[in-house]
Amino acid sequence: GAGVSQTPSNKVTEKGKYVELRCDPISGHTALYWYRQSLGQGPEFLIYFQGTGAADDSGLPNDRFFAVRPEGSVSTLKIQRTERGDSAVYLCASSSRQGAQETQYFGPGTRLLVL
Amino acid sequence: AQKITQTQPGMFVQEKEAVTLDCTYDTSDPSYGLFWYKQPSSGEMIFLIYQGSYDQQNATEGRYSLNFQKARKSANLVISASQLGDSAMYFCAMRGPSNYQLIWGAGTKLIIKP
């Protein structure tokens, strides 16, 4: 079956603009995660959804970042008033359920560049 | 707090040789999962192998095996008969029973030489 997909693959924007990044998880996966990966580093957790609700948003860096998953499938990460420091690869992952042993499957990422 | 340490920023290995990528972890949870992912230059994070803290045997998946030493808190990835396509970044990650997120190491850049 299809894996996790993310759009756009690349996004260039200007400082201060608003951006939306989309994630389409593996069909049937109830858990969805957003991570941010800066150059040369491992990913950092942003937010976790179980179904439609954000079960843990402790990784969001500030209130400019917001994510939704209104129907429990596709998720959108929204960044307001973008800053140059927001430039990174934004990774989305999904898993069939929560648990220490559950494997998270990742999409190809969206490379965000804020000029 | 949970932590993953990968001490090898980069490695060069001759094609067809075996390679071991180091990973040590720190956690106070008795139940946890350890994961290895491969990230080629294309950027996608590809799942390789999983080891549960209560698993009695080391995990294996094709040419990948995990050398799990619980007392030492290490979970090294072994790749046998390396291939040019194995050149990539490799990340070790951990997840506890009460965590939703994966905790990641800094990664090791593996380059396979022909």
Side-chain angles (χ1 to χ4, degrees), chain B residues 23-38:
Chain B
C23 173
T24 58
Y25 60 92
D26 190 18
T27 181
S28 57
D29 288 320
S31 175
Y32 51 88
L34 295 158
F35 301 79
W36 277 92
Y37 286 83
K38 171 184 179 182

Side-chain angles (χ1 to χ4, degrees), chain A residues 4-98:
Chain A
V4 178
S5 62
Q6 292 185 246
T7 54
S9 54
N10 293 281
K11 177 70 177 179
V12 181
T13 191
E14 293 179 345
K15 180 175 178 293
K17 300 290 188 181
Y18 168 83
V19 297
E20 289 190 350
L21 312 180
R22 176 189 167 107
C23 172
D24 201 339
I26 292 172
S27 178
H29 278 192
T30 57
L32 186 146
Y33 312 80
W34 284 99
Y35 293 84
R36 180 169 69 173
Q37 186 177 22
S38 298
L39 193 63
Q41 298 180 19
E44 294 177 296
F45 169 76
L46 294 177
I47 188 170
Y48 157 66
F49 287 90
Q50 181 59 43
T52 60
D56 182 358
D57 64 358
S58 62
L60 295 177
N62 51 59
D63 61 5
R64 295 187 298 105
F65 288 76
F66 188 71
V68 295
R69 195 186 185 198
E71 298 179 356
S73 179
V74 171
S75 176
T76 304
L77 178 66
K78 308 180 180 191
I79 310 174
Q80 299 177 322
R81 304 183 305 279
T82 51
E83 300 177 358
R84 293 193 179 88
D86 298 336
S87 296
V89 177
Y90 289 80
L91 296 167
C92 176
S94 70
S95 67
S96 58
R97 57 184 182 272
Q98 176 198 329

Side-chain angles (χ1 to χ4, degrees), chain A residues 4 33 35 37 40-45 48 55-56 58 91 95 97-108 111, chain B residues 31-35 37 39 41-45 47 50 89 91 95-102 104-107:
Chain A
V4 178
Y33 312 80
Y35 293 84
Q37 186 177 22
Q41 298 180 19
E44 294 177 296
F45 169 76
Y48 157 66
D56 182 358
S58 62
L91 296 167
S95 67
R97 57 184 182 272
Q98 176 198 329
Q101 73 281 12
E102 285 304 314
T103 297
Q104 296 179 22
Y105 295 94
F106 284 78
R111 288 156 189 77
Chain B
S31 175
Y32 51 88
L34 295 158
F35 301 79
Y37 286 83
Q39 189 176 42
S41 57
S42 59
E44 186 165 358
M45 200 68 79
F47 166 71
Y50 163 80
M89 284 290 292
F91 289 95
R95 191 181 188 195
S98 57
N99 289 355
Y100 312 108
Q101 57 181 287
L102 288 169
W104 298 79

Side-chain angles (χ1 to χ4, degrees), chain B residues 16-103:
Chain B
K16 299 181 184 176
E17 290 183 351
V19 56
T20 297
L21 304 181
D22 295 341
C23 173
T24 58
Y25 60 92
D26 190 18
T27 181
S28 57
D29 288 320
S31 175
Y32 51 88
L34 295 158
F35 301 79
W36 277 92
Y37 286 83
K38 171 184 179 182
Q39 189 176 42
S41 57
S42 59
E44 186 165 358
M45 200 68 79
I46 302 168
F47 166 71
L48 296 178
I49 196 167
Y50 163 80
Q51 180 83 45
S53 58
Y54 293 122
D55 292 344
Q56 295 298 312
Q57 295 186 332
N58 287 345
T60 60
E61 289 286 350
R63 293 187 299 113
Y64 304 108
S65 61
L66 204 151
N67 184 2
F68 182 46
Q69 298 188 38
K70 196 169 183 177
R72 293 186 177 184
K73 293 189 174 179
S74 75
N76 298 339
L77 177 70
V78 180
I79 306 174
S80 63
S82 58
Q83 303 171 357
L84 296 178
D86 294 334
S87 294
M89 284 290 292
Y90 287 81
F91 289 95
C92 180
M94 174 172 62
R95 191 181 188 195
S98 57
N99 289 355
Y100 312 108
Q101 57 181 287
L102 288 169
I103 306 299

